[in-house]
Amino acid sequence: MRPGARNLITDVAGLRVGNAEDRRLKSGATVLVGDAPFTASVAVMGGAPGTRETDLLAPDKTAPGADALVLSGGSAFGLAAAQGVMDALAEAGRGFQVLSARVPIVPAAILFDLLNGGDKAWGENPYPALGRAALGAACADFSLGSVGAGTGAQTAQVKGGLGSASLMLPSGVTVGALVAVNPMGCVTTPSGRHFWAAPYEIGDEFGGLGPDPARGLQPLPPSKKLAAMAALGNTTIGIVATDAALDKGQCHRMAVAAHDGIGRAIQPAHSPMDGDLIFAAATGARALDATGMELAALGHAGAICMARAIARAVWEATPEPGDTLPAFRGG
């Protein structure tokens, strides 16, 4: 397996990603949209999720998939970013057709970034406009780090951010991940100089620092994030996507497997204080030959992409005035 040309989730043909952020607010939104609707599902493993329209993605529900997926900061306020995306898609004539009506399907998930040093004293909820702007910016090439839903994200020790990575399988199928990293846990090892995801790095995509040389179980350092803000301000939310032809049940299985990437890159993961969630999206461009074995390979690739994307999010984060935690590379 090797990364796609961009090493981004948009190596899956037909998908685009857009970011919008407000530096004063220290928050933002990220949108993944397809050239056409795509099959989608979701797996939630954290104890404190914040979501919109995720029930529709269950295999037994009527909606066949989604027009777009939204990752946003802002806690429950950020769910409104999906409304801005939905309104813009409706204006463009997109949506699930019910007789003469069209209803865009835009599931969303949020992370908590309300206590990160940004100015949250807004008079009108800013997230519908951020969602609309992120959709308008959607393209194949996009920035990582302190942008979009990762703008105000934090980990236990350093700033979080937005990350992405991709892999091309020997079969020709492409898998990619997109993630906003804001966990209670640590993305870096106790030394603070290496990433838990180091065994999965390809090239120098997050610095080429290698695994931590320390041997044996190392105690995690006290969380700087908890000291700076609050114990309930967390969550890692992401998307794993492929050009394979999957139904909603198979998408769900890929999302479940991709959660292994969170467990490999963040310690601890899936805590009661995290809302860890992964959407899965499949464009259906490539048929699977041996469905069971190939689905297992897709899940494995999704987990590797997710782990790499998490480390890339932290590696690419940049310092901003008023930050309550430093960026990994200074500030």
Side-chain angles (χ1 to χ4, degrees):
M1 295 188 290
R2 57 183 174 82
R6 297 181 179 87
N7 197 19
L8 298 172
I9 195 170
T10 48
D11 286 322
V12 177
L15 297 181
R16 293 172 284 126
V17 170
N19 292 315
E21 56 279 327
D22 182 327
R23 297 296 174 189
R24 178 188 56 82
L25 189 67
K26 287 190 182 293
S27 190
T30 296
V31 176
L32 179 137
V33 63
D35 294 340
F38 47 81
T39 306
S41 191
V42 67
V44 182
M45 289 195 175
T51 61
R52 168 174 164 152
E53 297 277 42
T54 50
D55 284 353
L56 283 175
L57 303 182
D60 64 327
K61 300 302 186 291
T62 301
D67 293 284
L69 298 170
V70 175
L71 309 178
S72 180
S75 188
F77 299 103
L79 292 173
Q83 189 62 52
V85 175
M86 184 178 180
D87 291 346
L89 288 172
E91 291 166 9
R94 293 280 299 267
F96 180 60
Q97 188 159 5
V98 184
L99 299 177
S100 61
R102 283 191 176 273
V103 182
I105 306 298
V106 186
I110 49 85
L111 55 80
F112 186 102
D113 59 3
L114 298 181
L115 300 174
N116 62 0
D119 181 4
K120 305 304 194 295
W122 61 70
E124 180 179 344
N125 188 323
Y127 288 97
L130 286 168
R132 180 183 282 268
L135 178 66
C139 60
D141 293 301
F142 59 96
S143 298
L144 303 181
S146 302
V147 296
T151 299
Q154 300 176 319
T155 76
Q157 303 298 325
V158 294
K159 289 185 70 171
L162 187 79
S164 191
S166 69
L167 282 174
M168 295 187 66
L169 280 62
S171 65
V173 169
T174 301
V175 176
L178 176 71
V179 62
V181 181
N182 185 61
M184 182 192 79
C186 298
V187 175
T188 51
T189 62
S191 72
R193 297 187 295 273
H194 299 268
F195 291 98
W196 290 114
Y200 310 100
E201 185 175 17
I202 298 177
D204 295 336
E205 61 188 349
F206 42 92
L209 305 175
D212 197 312
R215 300 183 64 183
L217 180 63
Q218 305 293 314
L220 295 175
S223 172
K224 296 178 182 177
K225 180 178 182 178
L226 297 189
M229 46 181 294
L232 297 178
N234 307 290
T235 291
T236 296
I237 49 177
I239 304 167
V240 61
T242 182
D243 53 3
L246 304 181
D247 60 28
K248 289 167 74 176
Q250 292 164 335
C251 275
H252 174 72
R253 180 48 45 192
M254 186 171 68
V256 169
H259 270 281
D260 286 355
I262 293 180
R264 293 168 184 170
I266 301 171
Q267 295 194 20
H270 304 138
S271 79
M273 287 78 75
D274 286 289
D276 295 345
L277 171 151
I278 295 178
F279 291 111
T283 64
R286 292 179 176 270
L288 297 183
D289 295 326
T291 303
M293 290 302 297
E294 288 188 275
L295 187 58
L298 290 177
H300 175 55
I304 292 174
C305 286
M306 186 60 63
R308 293 163 51 223
I310 288 168
R312 291 190 81 192
V314 172
W315 175 254
E316 297 291 346
T318 52
E320 297 283 344
D323 285 347
T324 56
L325 287 177
F328 180 80
R329 290 195 278 173

